[in-house]
Amino acid sequence: MKVLVINCGSSSLKFTLFDMADKSVLCKGLVERIGMDGTKLTYQAKGQKIEEPLNISAHNEALAPICAKMTDATVGVIKDLSEIKAIGHRVLHGGMEFTQPIKVDEAVKAGIRKCFPLGPLHNPANLGGIEACEENFPGIPNVAVFDTAFHMTMGPEAYLYAIPQEYYKKHGVRKYGFHGTSHKYVYGRVCEFLGLDASKARVISCHLGNGSSLCAVKGGKVVDTTMGLTPLAGLVMGTRSGDIDAAVVTFLQQQENMTPAQVDTLLNKKSGFLGVSGKSSDMRDICSLRAAGDKDATIAYDMFLHRLVHYIGGYYLLLGGVDAILFTGGIGENSYETRADIVAALAPLGVKLDAEANKSRGQEVVISTADSAFKAVVMPTNEELMIAMETARIVEG
Ligand code: AMP
């Protein structure tokens, strides 16, 4: 079965075509700068990478050139579009409505629309991608895979905020959590890789990238996660503050005369590594600045580590011990320096770094010593493949 995965952002559309027989990628690429000058298609297949300017102005026009490439006589990977049996879509926010991936119909589209206030930047674009596919691939089922769904197994002690419950009941103000597709994928993979029983395993999944979140999973159910109503909560990130005293918001509004939108931009786009270092949101830059003695980059790094270790300690207790802690995402998969610092900080829990194994990058590997109390593991994530797997599962019934 061939499954197309679509990840539609406000000005971009990413696609990957999988052959589910062996889970291989047949082709992938993206259309970027949609609705702006310089719209461009990048298409990769058969060891080739093609970049072409596109003369389009909307997402629904982006699919025709992609289809033309996929069926092209030289760089194409399918003869006919009817070979695609299903399309999986990444949808950011499923609210309380969606606890599982689901086949799209009118009611599902209305549900995604209902979640617009919760994901104002992403959900409209995600729905746009679904509607574009309905238009361009008539008769092929679309499946919505929500970033929040995996976390819907959390209990109220973890997901409620300690404010009057009327806001939870009226607007769904609660913790949702994000990166759910990634956390679910790496949980499943780490159980297979280490031979753990997935119905019992206790795992702390550290998805560390531009956006970062931790997820405590027990027996495939989420016990807690660091992101909240939106992806702003939790760890110190590339440009997001993570956890903050909510009073900072009203304080800034009053003292700096800032509007809600300005505070939102400050906390989401100008904070985190970027805000504290004053120089970069990128971990590679933070590491090199720190190595060169930059004080602000050093404090940004130390804050990241401090909060991460604080959460891991808490999750260790909530899970009643752990079988594995895994690292994924751009930082988790590549930054051996960060992994070494985290594992060193976890020494009181009885884990030690295998420095040689930790040198590896971007592959599944145990990086703790054999005599450690639990395993520390690098586990590359693959959200597109997870979306394709969920999509195939749903359409095969
Ligand atoms: P992602 O959002 O998952 O693509 O991750 C992006 C983050 O991964 C950025 O902060 C990058 O600096 C970081 N990253 C990627 N490669 C490396 C590396 N080799 N060393 C340190 N950080 C890295």
Side-chain angles (χ1 to χ4, degrees):
M1 177 196 256
K2 295 190 176 91
V3 174
L4 181 63
V5 172
I6 298 283
N7 184 350
C8 215
S10 54
S11 64
S12 67
L13 189 153
K14 287 189 200 144
F15 61 94
T16 313
L17 182 64
F18 287 94
D19 185 346
M20 297 313 287
D22 57 1
K23 297 181 178 161
S24 60
V25 172
L26 296 171
C27 69
K28 64 177 182 178
L30 84 155
V31 177
E32 54 196 313
R33 299 186 60 82
I34 301 173
M36 309 177 200
D37 287 344
T39 310
K40 187 174 91 174
L41 165 69
T42 306
Y43 176 84
Q44 284 177 267
K46 299 177 167 173
Q48 296 187 53
K49 184 173 177 182
I50 299 167
E51 293 184 352
E52 278 176 11
L54 283 186
N55 188 15
I56 60 158
S57 56
H59 286 83
N60 59 346
E61 298 169 48
L63 288 172
I66 295 171
C67 292
K69 281 280 175 289
M70 288 195 294
T71 51
D72 183 84
T74 40
V75 293
V77 289
I78 49 175
K79 286 206 170 61
D80 193 273
L81 292 176
S82 63
E83 286 176 48
I84 299 172
K85 297 297 175 214
I87 306 171
H89 296 264
R90 177 183 182 232
V91 180
L92 181 84
H93 217 303
M96 284 194 280
E97 201 131 339
F98 300 109
T99 58
Q100 292 286 336
I102 190 164
K103 200 165 149 182
V104 175
D105 59 16
E106 289 307 314
V108 169
K109 284 196 283 179
I112 295 173
R113 229 172 263 123
K114 221 170 109 188
C115 297
F116 278 6
L118 292 168
L121 297 180
H122 294 82
N123 272 41
N126 302 151
L127 182 64
I130 291 173
E131 288 174 337
C133 286
E134 287 178 330
E135 209 177 303
N136 284 268
F137 300 93
I140 300 180
N142 289 286
V143 173
V145 181
F146 301 91
D147 239 32
T148 49
F150 183 49
H151 302 296
M152 293 311 283
T153 46
M154 267 185 297
E157 68 287 355
Y159 71 66
L160 281 180
Y161 294 126
I163 60 175
Q165 291 207 41
E166 64 175 288
Y167 303 106
Y168 164 66
K169 290 179 185 146
K170 204 159 135 195
H171 301 291
V173 174
R174 53 162 277 175
K175 177 186 282 196
Y176 289 95
F178 297 85
H179 292 139
T181 309
S182 171
H183 287 303
K184 186 174 179 182
Y185 175 80
V186 288
Y187 178 79
R189 273 300 313 147
V190 84
C191 289
E192 274 173 36
F193 182 62
L194 298 177
L196 300 172
D197 178 349
S199 68
K200 293 201 187 99
R202 299 159 304 170
V203 172
I204 299 175
S205 167
C206 308
H207 181 120
L208 310 176
N210 268 325
S212 296
S213 71
L214 299 192
C215 186
V217 190
K218 191 176 197 171
K221 294 200 166 67
V222 174
V223 172
D224 207 347
T225 189
T226 55
M227 284 178 170
L229 174 77
T230 76
L232 179 58
L235 302 175
V236 175
M237 303 179 226
T239 62
R240 294 184 206 132
S241 63
D243 292 343
I244 197 163
D245 179 346
V248 170
V249 173
T250 42
F251 183 90
L252 289 176
Q253 286 175 336
Q254 283 157 5
Q255 301 300 318
E256 292 275 322
N257 242 339
M258 291 171 87
T259 63
Q262 284 171 325
V263 180
D264 187 82
T265 305
L266 176 82
L267 298 179
N268 275 295
K269 303 252 164 71
K270 298 182 182 171
S271 296
F273 292 155
L274 180 63
V276 178
S277 76
K279 296 189 178 76
S280 176
S281 63
D282 192 293
M283 184 55 125
R284 280 164 293 204
D285 297 338
I286 296 296
C287 287
S288 33
L289 284 162
R290 179 172 166 253
D294 185 286
K295 282 207 179 82
D296 294 328
T298 303
I299 190 67
Y301 185 87
D302 291 348
M303 287 166 72
F304 169 78
L305 203 66
H306 178 98
R307 197 171 304 166
L308 187 60
V309 171
H310 159 98
Y311 267 115
I312 291 178
Y315 286 177
Y316 180 91
L317 288 181
L318 285 176
L319 290 172
V322 297
D323 300 303
I325 291 186
L326 65 86
F327 299 101
T328 196
I331 298 171
E333 290 169 34
N334 296 300
S335 179
Y336 51 83
E337 181 181 356
T338 312
R339 293 194 303 252
D341 287 339
I342 298 169
V343 175
L346 303 183
L349 303 180
V351 65
K352 266 189 284 176
L353 186 75
D354 176 339
E356 199 49 40
N358 188 43
K359 284 183 187 157
S360 74
R361 191 178 269 184
Q363 58 178 4
E364 297 180 352
V365 60
V366 175
I367 58 164
S368 49
T369 55
D371 61 347
S372 290
F374 57 84
K375 302 256 193 300
V377 184
V378 179
M379 187 56 57
T381 192
N382 193 337
E383 289 170 271
E384 279 77 20
L385 176 59
M386 188 70 200
I387 293 172
M389 285 160 44
E390 299 274 42
T391 301
R393 181 172 64 80
I394 298 282
V395 295
E396 278 167 348

